[in-house]
Amino acid sequence: MLRYFPILDWGRRYTRTALANDLVAAVIVTIMLIPQSLAYALLAGLPPEAGIYASIAPIILYAVFGTSRALAVGPVAVVSLMTAAAVGEVASQGTAGYAVAALTLAFLSGGFLLLLGVLRLGFIANFLSHPVIAGFITASGILIATSQLKHILGVPAGGHTLPQMLGGLWSHLDDTNLVTLAIGLSATAFLFWVRKSLKAFLKRLGVPSLPADILTKAGPVAAVVATTLAVQIFDLAEQGVKIVGDVPQSLPPLTMPGLSPELVGSLLVPAILISVIGFVESISVAQTLAAKKRQRIDPDQELIGLGAANLGAAFTGGYPVTGGFARSVVNYDAGAETPAAGAFTAIGLAIAAVALTPLVYFLPNATLAATIIVAVLGLVDLSILKKTWKYSRADFSAVVATIAVTLLVGVEAGVASGVILSVMLHLYKTSRPHVAEVGLVPGTQHFRNIHRHKVVTDPTLVTLRVDESLYFVNARFLEDLIQSRVTEGCDIRNVILMFSAVNEVDYSALESLEAINHRLSDMGVGLHLSEVKGPVMDRLTRSHLTTTLNGQVFLSQFEAWEHLRRKSPNQTAVQ
């Protein structure tokens, strides 16, 4: 029960101090989430209330099933963009079918995450490398910011790729609504100033840290209030400024996702991609914040928590959700001690849904677009290109390819290419494992690479240190390497494979080792193993290799060296 319901663990130790800290954090996060939730719903192509609905039941369910004390679950920019891309393929925006498809996407995503959690498959996040994820998020940030320019300009441009969006904006540039543009630019500039300078400005005025922090987080609310009043007072809607309009004044409704085979079939792959991306983003944030307080995150239970949150969104008028970076950091910095802070946030949002929604009738879409632009530009990290170029050209190529595919083809293709590139990079790197020829460091029992150190070697003895587990992808590589090395000179009488870094030998690699042993036997060359790890040796002893091996298995490389090296003065020092 404690494994599947972490609330039973932290709940029984809940204190008044934790309650006070969680309430303060909830107030701050609620203030931040009201405009953000409306904005992300707009990004997903849904009515603004869907963003608030997606931030109530999911947060409560995550508080029950999640393991992170600070993670704040709800709509996020990247998942909102992916939702718009996926749902836009099966229904037209603004129709009932569009909303049902979004519910279905959340349902499928929640079911997939829940299944992975029950089966304890949290390790699948490892199939997406960090450079690829960074490239995808950077490209998504650019797409999201570009997609919101139509609201800043007040034009009806569309598209799901960067060329489509830019083309649509260019073709409608003459239709720009100057009043909308003024509102959008003013709100964007103000929000950038709030984000970068307001807190420091307030502290210089002598405002204490906590109030200064709350006022800074309330910056988007100030932009919402100011622009809403401006539209209402000066009747700017009559001048073409697009506004939010009527927002239902109610708690999240009970909704049912569509489960027709055609709809499920169309959304299944996007749901899986959204689940993977959402989980990777969420677990990264959760583990980073948990490490600061030496807390533990269970990836498999996180899958269950996020799965439950998405199922909750599917049945309460929302759309796919995950743990958001910005709100989670705010939640942590505000002093949240337990997931109860999220539950209190949900209560605050529920009050807003019931009491405050009439107040946003005149809220201009340009202000929500400005909120999104300022939020997502923090996701754009072009420095990953420079870092990967300096460190690994293969990772650089993967980042560039992921960014290019996401921008030019779309987010789903970008995610798919990221997964494929991550797996292909892993297979490429492990298909050519690092194998070093080593020799004895004089005066020691240590063996090092003959090309990096001055070591003692013997012309009749070759020691190859294999620095990778052996499996079907790289087994043939070792065969070819040994064949090439042994045929280079006729003095070699023994080959030692140093297995100190080998953690696994699969059946394909076992057959390769048997083939190597057979070939060397025909050439009159002994094949020996050294420093084989226990689990690897246990499996090898269950095979024919250990009985047909024409050499020996040595406990240490030094023991093998002492036993096999030729008793002659032909040893040479090699740089």
Side-chain angles (χ1 to χ4, degrees), residues 164-399:
Q164 291 173 352
M165 292 177 186
L166 293 178
L169 290 172
W170 179 258
S171 64
H172 290 89
L173 198 58
D174 292 339
D175 300 326
T176 300
N177 185 293
L178 296 180
V179 178
T180 300
L181 180 62
I183 293 173
L185 291 179
S186 300
T188 303
F190 173 74
L191 291 174
F192 268 118
W193 177 77
V194 166
R195 186 167 186 163
K196 298 291 184 181
S197 307
L198 179 57
K199 188 171 183 179
F201 174 73
L202 292 173
K203 285 186 174 181
R204 286 197 299 270
L205 294 179
V207 179
S209 180
L210 181 58
D213 194 49
I214 294 176
L215 290 172
T216 301
K217 299 301 184 297
V221 176
V224 166
V225 172
T227 55
T228 300
L229 289 175
V231 170
Q232 183 176 9
I233 293 172
F234 298 105
D235 200 19
L236 299 181
E238 294 297 321
Q239 300 182 39
V241 176
K242 300 295 182 182
I243 59 176
V244 169
D246 286 314
V247 177
Q249 190 175 359
S250 67
L251 292 172
L254 180 63
T255 54
M256 287 296 294
L259 299 178
S260 67
E262 295 81 9
L263 184 59
V264 170
S266 300
L267 296 177
L268 183 58
V269 173
I272 292 174
L273 295 177
I274 287 174
S275 299
V276 173
I277 290 295
F279 174 63
V280 170
E281 180 178 354
S282 179
I283 197 69
S284 300
V285 175
Q287 289 178 335
T288 299
L289 297 178
K292 295 182 178 182
K293 291 188 176 182
R294 298 188 179 184
Q295 296 169 347
R296 177 179 174 272
I297 298 297
D298 182 351
D300 296 314
Q301 185 60 32
E302 283 298 290
L303 284 166
I304 293 175
L306 292 174
N310 276 279
L311 290 176
F315 291 102
T316 56
Y319 65 98
V321 298
T322 192
F325 176 76
R327 73 188 64 174
S328 297
V329 171
V330 170
N331 197 38
Y332 177 87
D333 290 341
E337 292 195 20
T338 73
F344 296 142
T345 299
I347 294 173
L349 290 172
I351 294 173
V354 171
L356 302 181
T357 49
L359 302 179
V360 300
Y361 180 89
F362 290 100
L363 172 61
N365 289 344
T367 301
L368 295 179
T371 301
I372 293 174
I373 291 173
V374 173
V376 301
L377 286 182
L379 301 176
V380 178
D381 178 21
L382 295 178
S383 67
I384 191 67
L385 295 171
K386 180 180 179 181
K387 294 174 183 175
T388 52
W389 174 261
K390 291 177 62 177
Y391 187 76
S392 169
R393 299 299 166 84
D395 286 333
F396 172 80
S397 300
V399 172

Side-chain angles (χ1 to χ4, degrees), residues 371-548:
T371 301
I372 293 174
I373 291 173
V374 173
V376 301
L377 286 182
L379 301 176
V380 178
D381 178 21
L382 295 178
S383 67
I384 191 67
L385 295 171
K386 180 180 179 181
K387 294 174 183 175
T388 52
W389 174 261
K390 291 177 62 177
Y391 187 76
S392 169
R393 299 299 166 84
D395 286 333
F396 172 80
S397 300
V399 172
V400 171
T402 302
I403 291 176
V405 172
T406 303
L407 292 178
L408 301 178
V409 183
V411 290
E412 291 182 12
V415 177
S417 66
V419 174
I420 294 171
L421 283 170
S422 296
V423 174
M424 294 300 294
L425 273 176
H426 172 73
L427 293 177
Y428 172 76
K429 292 175 181 177
T430 57
S431 68
R432 300 180 61 83
H434 182 261
V435 179
E437 185 172 342
V438 299
L440 179 67
V441 179
T444 72
Q445 296 184 11
H446 300 292
F447 290 79
R448 293 293 184 269
N449 193 321
I450 64 172
H451 300 298
R452 294 178 179 269
H453 303 273
K454 291 183 177 181
V455 293
V456 177
T457 62
D458 188 311
T460 67
L461 179 62
V462 172
T463 296
L464 300 175
R465 189 189 68 222
V466 183
D467 293 334
E468 180 67 68
S469 292
L470 297 176
Y471 67 120
F472 66 95
V473 173
N474 59 24
R476 187 60 183 269
F477 175 81
L478 185 61
E479 284 188 56
D480 296 340
L481 179 65
I482 292 176
Q483 184 72 23
S484 173
R485 181 64 182 87
V486 171
T487 55
E488 284 180 358
C490 58
D491 292 337
I492 298 174
R493 294 292 176 264
N494 290 287
V495 173
I496 306 172
L497 295 180
M498 188 175 175
F499 270 22
S500 54
V502 176
N503 297 314
E504 177 73 21
V505 176
D506 75 357
Y507 191 78
S508 297
L510 173 65
E511 290 186 329
S512 289
L513 291 175
E514 291 175 341
I516 293 169
N517 179 58
H518 180 71
R519 291 173 188 170
L520 293 181
S521 295
D522 291 344
M523 300 169 63
V525 177
L527 176 64
H528 310 271
L529 305 178
S530 73
E531 302 191 7
V532 184
K533 293 183 177 180
V536 176
M537 195 65 217
D538 291 341
R539 298 188 68 177
L540 292 180
T541 54
R542 297 197 295 268
S543 70
H544 295 294
L545 179 65
T546 52
T547 57
T548 59

